Amino acid sequence: MPSHDCPSTAPRPNDGTGPQRPSQPDDETWLSTVELSDRLKIPVKTLASWASGGTGPRFARMGRYRRYRLGDVRDWEAQQLFTRRDSR
């Protein structure tokens, strides 16, 4: 009787039809206000307030929409970190 390889144990080449890992976003990825509010766990309204007040991460206007470049968001996040000494 011929032996049959079990398809679940045989390695399969990645031919592009199976599930693939999503690629990591790079610093040039643009985020919407909803995506950024999800990332920061804050309301979209807070982002609007920061934008009108000139605080918060840098953004670009694309038509009537604000878009945030991930690299700028990461830089801004790093600037928000403080130590106990900074809070005095």
Side-chain angles (χ1 to χ4, degrees):
M1 187 151 139
S3 67
H4 295 283
D5 289 333
C6 177
S8 63
T9 59
R12 289 193 278 172
N14 187 356
D15 59 2
T17 59
Q20 297 179 9
R21 286 186 188 169
S23 61
Q24 286 286 47
D26 65 10
D27 284 348
E28 293 300 314
T29 299
W30 290 91
L31 304 175
S32 70
T33 53
V34 171
E35 291 169 326
L36 184 57
S37 75
D38 288 345
R39 177 185 174 91
L40 298 177
K41 309 287 192 269
I42 61 171
V44 171
K45 206 170 185 177
T46 299
L47 289 173
S49 175
W50 288 351
S52 67
T55 59
R58 288 176 38 175
F59 64 91
R61 281 257 177 226
M62 297 185 188
R64 62 184 182 139
Y65 302 101
R66 281 189 318 275
R67 294 292 182 255
Y68 298 85
R69 194 170 39 196
L70 185 55
D72 293 334
V73 170
R74 289 176 175 160
D75 291 343
W76 179 83
E77 288 171 340
Q79 293 170 0
Q80 303 314 301
L81 299 175
F82 65 92
T83 62
R84 183 176 285 275
R85 185 179 312 157
D86 293 336
S87 63
R88 289 183 190 173

